[in-house]
Amino acid sequence: MNGSARIIDGKAVAAAVRAEIAGAAAAFNEAYGRPPGLATILVGDDPASDVYVTSKHKACSETGIAGEDHRLPATTTSAELSELIAQLNGRDDVDGILLQLPLPDGLDDAQLTELIDPAKDVDGLTAANAGRVVQGRDALVPCTPSGVMRLLAHIGAELEGAEAVVVGRSNLVGRPVASLLLAENATVTTCHSRTRDLGAVCRRADVLVACVGSPGIVTGDMIKPGAIVIDVGTTRGADGLQGDVVFDEALKVASAITPVPGGVGPMTIACLLANTMKAAQSRAAVAV
Ligand code: NAP
C-alpha cells in the first residue's frame, strides 16, 4: 500500500464516549438519588499533574459526575495520605478514587496506590485490577489502554489472529495493552529497551502500538504496508506535543493511524469517566 492512511479521530470517539457516560450518569442519579462520584488526590505542586487533574474535574462536571478535588502539600506523610485513602474507601458516595502519579519524593507510588479499594480503582493500577486484566477477566482497565482498544474497535480492526506489536512495557500502558490485545486473540509481541532489532519486529505488525515516549522512534520503514498504527507517545517539545511515530512517513504506509495530539490523548479522560461509571454501577449492584 502506498497511499494515505485513515487518520483516526480520537476527539470524536472521545466525545461519543463522553455523551454515552453523561446519559448513564443521569440515569444513575435518577435511580440512586446521587451522581456517580470521583475523588482525586493530588500531592504537591507539579504543574503537569495540576493540568491533568483540573481537566479531569472539568470533564466530570460536563458529564454529571460529582468530582471531589483533594490537594495536599508536598510535605504530606505516607500516614496522612493512607488515612485519606482509607476515608475515601469507606465513603458510599465516592465510587472512584484517583491518586495522581507521580507522587513527590518520599512517597511510594505503588505502595500507596495499592491502598485503594480495587472496586474504586478507576485508574486500574492496583495489583488486583492489573491481575484481572492479565487473566482476561472483567476489571477496571487502565484508562489509556482502554482508550487504545476503543479506538481499534471504532475502526473495526480485525484483531483475531492479527500480529500485534506493542512497543513499551510499562504497567500504565504497554503491559495492559498487550494483555488486552491477547484477550482479543491477537498474536502479541512486546518490545522494550532491550529488544534487539526493533525495526524487524515492528515490521511484522498488522497492529502496531507505540508507547515509549521517544519522539520519532517508529519510522515509516518500520511499518508493514497496510498496518494500523496507534501512537500513544506524548513528549512535549519546542514544537508542541510529539508522538513516537514519524507521522508523515507512517501516513504513506499505514492503513490507519492516530495523530498526536488528537488521537489516544482525548480517550484517556473519556475512559476515566467510563471507569467511574462502571465502578458506580458495580458498587450499586453489590449494595442492592
Ligand atoms: P514509561 O513508563 O517510561 O515506559 C516506556 C517504555 O518504553 C518502557 O517499557 C521502555 O522499556 C520502553 N522503551 C524505552 N526506550 C525504548 C527503545 N529504545 N526501544 C524500545 N522500547 C523502549 O512510559 P509510559 O508511562 O508507558 O508512557 C509511554 C508514553 O505514552 C509516554 O510518552 C507518555 O507520555 C505517553 N502516555 C500518553 C498518555 C495519553 O493519554 N496519551 C497516557 C499515558 C502515557 P524498558 O521497560 O526496557 O525500560
Side-chain angles (χ1 to χ4, degrees):
M1 189 164 158
N2 188 13
S4 191
R6 167 180 179 178
I7 297 174
I8 305 169
D9 186 350
K11 273 193 204 162
V13 181
V17 173
R18 283 179 186 225
E20 194 186 301
I21 301 306
F28 184 93
N29 201 353
E30 182 98 2
Y32 299 102
R34 68 165 183 89
L38 172 67
T40 63
I41 307 171
L42 174 56
V43 187
D45 42 24
D46 177 59
S49 294
D50 176 35
V51 169
Y52 292 143
V53 171
T54 302
S55 41
K56 285 166 188 175
H57 281 282
K58 182 166 176 276
C60 278
S61 67
E62 287 167 1
T63 318
I65 289 175
E68 196 173 288
D69 192 354
H70 295 265
R71 307 242 170 174
L72 308 178
T75 51
T76 301
T77 64
S78 193
E80 287 164 343
L81 188 49
S82 306
E83 171 58 27
L84 174 59
I85 294 170
Q87 276 175 25
L88 296 171
N89 279 340
R91 288 226 339 243
D92 256 356
D93 59 333
V94 172
D95 298 293
I97 303 171
L98 183 147
L99 179 60
Q100 185 68 41
L101 303 178
L103 294 169
D105 288 348
L107 296 173
D108 185 325
D109 287 8
Q111 189 197 352
L112 287 155
T113 297
E114 209 50 47
L115 299 179
I116 297 171
D117 177 351
K120 298 188 177 189
D121 167 30
V122 284
D123 252 348
L125 293 177
T126 58
N129 279 307
R132 284 171 165 270
V133 170
V134 170
Q135 291 182 346
R137 293 160 65 195
D138 185 45
L140 286 169
V141 174
C143 303
T144 303
S146 185
V148 167
M149 298 309 288
R150 281 183 189 254
L151 290 177
L152 289 170
H154 172 74
I155 61 165
E158 184 59 66
L159 298 177
E160 182 149 335
E163 288 273 355
V165 172
V166 181
V167 190
R169 59 173 167 179
S170 70
N171 290 334
L172 186 65
V173 193
R175 278 173 208 261
V177 166
S179 294
L180 295 167
L181 288 165
L182 188 60
E184 295 297 327
N185 298 315
T187 301
V188 184
T189 306
T190 302
C191 298
H192 45 78
S193 63
R194 265 35 87 73
T195 296
R196 284 204 188 113
D197 189 344
L198 185 63
V201 182
C202 289
R203 267 189 293 278
R204 297 209 305 259
D206 301 309
V207 177
L208 179 60
V209 185
C211 23
V212 180
S214 176
I217 191 170
V218 176
T219 47
D221 63 339
M222 293 163 71
I223 297 169
K224 178 175 169 179
I228 296 167
V229 179
I230 306 290
D231 190 353
V232 182
T234 47
T235 306
R236 197 165 288 285
D239 299 337
L241 222 49
Q242 281 183 282
D244 287 341
V245 179
V246 181
F247 186 77
D248 294 347
E249 293 180 15
L251 207 54
K252 296 181 190 139
V253 194
S255 63
I257 181 167
T258 56
V260 178
V264 175
M267 294 301 292
T268 299
I269 288 185
C271 292
L272 172 67
L273 302 173
N275 271 355
T276 304
M277 198 60 241
K278 180 181 165 103
Q281 285 163 338
S282 306
R283 293 182 64 251
V286 169
V288 171

